[in-house]
Amino acid sequence: MRHERSKELFSRAQKVIPGGVNSPVRAFKGVGGQPVFIAKAEGSAIWDVDGNRYIDFVGSWGPMILGHAHPEVVQAAKNAIDRGSSYGAPTEAEVKLAELIVERVASVEKVRLVSSGTEATMSAIRVARGFTGRDDIVKFEGCYHGHADYLLAKAGSGVATFDLPDSPGVPSDFTKHTLTIPYNDVDAVRRLFEERGKDIACIILEPVTGNAGVIPPAPGFLEALREITKKHGALLIFDEVMTGFRLHSGGAQALYGLDPDLSAFGKIVGGGMPLAAYGGRADIMNRVAPEGPIYQAGTLSGNPCAVAAGHATLQQLAAPGTYERLDQISKRITDGLAAAMSEAEQVGRIQRVGSMFTLFFNDGSPLRNFADVKKADHAKFGRFFHGMLERGVYFPPSGYEAVFVSLAHTDEDIERTLEAARAVLTAL
Ligand SMILES: *Cc1c(COP(=O)(O)O)cnc(C)c1O
């Protein structure tokens, strides 16, 4: 494959944009080499500026669950922008989207629309602190909740890919209320709450971790968090920015049968446009301004074009059998990859929940937390990634990320992906 035009754009980009990208993982630093610049996308495919076509398993890091440029979503956004792109005043469309979210997600009685996942989690935590009158929050190592100052402590995703301990620019005073413990470690949670439970406003977590690569919750883990938070008067926040509307129409919370107090959504809920949401129990959400004293606002919040794309996406996902189909497509891919691994005598492990999975090159044992993921062979993942890319398959450019399967992935895509994987794994 030729990448002349991407190379040229990357050198221009690096002169005017830090690292040449507007979000760090896009730079390919986790796998080495240079990023390809994308020109267009349709269905399961993306094309770079040199005309190379790839089967896309990133899906804009999650939002494109229907595939790219889905006709209904495109039409909805076009119709909306024809009526003006933003008013800074309420609209009927945002009421409909809020109603849809409340209808789908059992624990959400009221919801506020914002513009990014970062904003959603940050606001949910502010509300949890305001509601409980407590300052401390608990997060898990390797979970990523956006780039708010106090949430960058031991975060996953790009922070993990680049092995950044904590980010410069974040005063230690700002993270002193962030208590970080290993994922899936109920004993650590119990100890922490016994010590300082009366100061803890909330636990925030990814109900299925995706930002350290896919780590499912151990049996009983989520239930224990529900019980412990209730007992100590703290709130439980599910960050479903990645899992919401992906693992189940009602989110990971429906899949595992649990009701958090607050939830954050993003990615899919905006259908590829900048839109996110946070919501939960009405008695808690009623404390948000202007109904209550906890302030949160946004000039472009509930933007009409983003709302239209998000609403159209959620409507498409309501078709019967959607999540079964996603699961079947994903299972065929991971079964095929597992077979290709053993054929090529490669050891490792594939962890999958629904339409998100990660292939880890480790000793084959289950990965339960961030420490396990760190021990995997990320250099080998980098070689795997580049081998796949050269064969026209675009996987996430980091071993700390999830692969996203969409409804647009066809039988032929699966065959071609597995064929590429067999060749790459044999040559690794
Ligand atoms: C992507 C993501 C975020 C951040 O969302 P942005 O829209 O990138 O700000 C937060 N939490 C989780 C779980 C995510 O996957």
Side-chain angles (χ1 to χ4, degrees):
M1 269 185 194
R2 296 164 69 85
H3 297 294
E4 264 81 54
R5 183 105 179 89
S6 277
K7 283 196 177 125
E8 181 196 323
L9 283 172
F10 193 49
S11 69
R12 271 172 59 197
Q14 283 172 298
K15 293 196 181 98
V16 288
I17 304 173
V21 290
N22 282 313
S23 194
V25 259
R26 295 180 196 170
F28 280 22
K29 283 243 163 105
V31 289
Q34 296 200 352
V36 291
F37 280 61
I38 304 305
K40 64 168 181 176
E42 193 188 332
S44 62
I46 50 173
W47 285 264
D48 70 16
V49 287
D50 289 286
N52 302 305
R53 180 186 191 277
Y54 307 90
I55 301 168
D56 180 26
F57 285 101
V58 176
S60 188
W61 300 95
M64 313 319 296
I65 193 166
L66 304 175
H68 294 281
H70 188 282
E72 303 286 333
V73 179
V74 169
Q75 199 53 53
K78 276 184 178 163
N79 292 348
I81 202 166
D82 279 344
R83 295 189 297 268
S85 54
S86 182
Y87 323 122
T91 63
E92 179 177 357
E94 67 193 342
V95 180
K96 284 186 175 161
L97 180 57
E99 284 170 348
L100 230 172
I101 296 170
V102 167
E103 187 186 299
R104 296 253 172 107
V105 187
S107 72
V108 175
E109 294 170 333
K110 279 196 171 180
V111 62
R112 174 59 69 77
L113 303 182
V114 293
S115 301
S116 71
T118 294
E119 241 188 298
T121 55
M122 196 180 78
S123 308
I125 288 171
R126 180 179 302 151
V127 171
R129 283 174 161 158
F131 182 79
T132 58
R134 301 171 177 182
D135 288 338
D136 290 349
I137 64 167
V138 177
K139 85 175 274 295
F140 295 97
E141 288 166 18
C143 280
Y144 178 68
H145 305 296
H147 65 90
D149 282 343
Y150 55 87
L151 288 172
L152 283 180
K154 300 193 181 166
S157 192
V159 189
T161 304
F162 305 132
D163 204 17
L164 305 172
D166 286 302
S167 177
V170 179
S172 55
D173 268 6
F174 289 18
T175 51
K176 74 178 180 201
H177 293 297
T178 306
L179 314 172
T180 311
I181 48 178
Y183 197 75
N184 276 331
D185 187 343
V186 176
D187 289 340
V189 182
R190 284 198 202 282
R191 276 198 304 274
L192 192 56
F193 271 83
E194 267 152 36
E195 235 170 77
R196 46 200 296 183
K198 63 174 183 10
D199 299 323
I200 297 172
C202 63
I203 294 181
I204 182 166
L205 84 158
E206 295 180 64
V208 173
T209 296
N211 283 294
V214 172
I215 307 175
F221 178 58
L222 299 175
E223 289 79 359
L225 299 183
R226 182 63 287 186
E227 174 226 311
I228 296 165
T229 45
K230 239 187 200 140
K231 181 172 155 206
H232 291 270
L235 301 186
L236 181 61
I237 306 178
F238 274 12
D239 178 353
E240 297 231 35
V241 171
M242 189 183 284
T243 54
F245 311 107
R246 172 166 289 281
L247 300 185
H248 189 283
S249 61
Q253 50 196 275
L255 188 66
Y256 293 99
L258 277 155
D259 278 348
D261 302 296
L262 292 171
S263 302
F265 300 95
K267 300 190 169 125
I268 290 172
V269 78
M273 301 279 270
L275 187 139
Y278 71 97
R281 274 165 47 191
D283 63 320
I284 302 172
M285 290 303 289
N286 286 343
R287 304 291 291 275
V288 176
E291 200 156 341
I294 302 168
Y295 197 71
Q296 182 270 310
T299 302
L300 295 177
S301 290
N303 172 268
C305 307
V307 164
H311 192 267
T313 298
L314 295 193
Q315 273 187 320
Q316 292 298 312
L317 288 173
T322 293
Y323 291 93
E324 289 79 0
R325 239 184 87 212
L326 267 171
D327 195 63
Q328 279 161 12
I329 301 170
S330 311
K331 183 170 189 305
R332 281 185 55 200
I333 297 169
T334 50
D335 283 355
L337 282 175
M341 290 278 282
S342 58
E343 251 170 62
E345 290 176 16
Q346 293 286 349
V347 279
R349 190 168 188 96
I350 298 168
Q351 301 201 147
R352 176 177 78 88
V353 179
S355 58
M356 47 197 263
F357 71 86
T358 303
L359 191 168
F360 298 99
F361 292 101
N362 74 341
D363 60 6
S365 52
L367 300 92
R368 291 174 39 93
N369 56 36
F370 190 45
D372 291 345
V373 176
K374 274 189 169 165
K375 277 185 269 170
D377 188 341
H378 292 276
K380 193 179 225 181
F381 179 86
R383 296 196 297 279
F384 173 73
F385 166 83
H386 279 291
M388 295 299 278
L389 191 73
E390 281 308 298
R391 284 168 180 77
V393 181
Y394 192 89
F395 265 24
S398 161
Y400 291 95
E401 301 285 357
V403 174
F404 295 105
V405 179
S406 81
L407 288 160
H409 285 113
T410 62
D411 290 350
E412 197 199 327
D413 290 333
I414 298 173
E415 282 320 308
R416 283 185 46 204
T417 301
L418 295 178
E419 199 178 302
R422 282 190 286 271
V424 174
L425 288 165
T426 308
L428 266 192

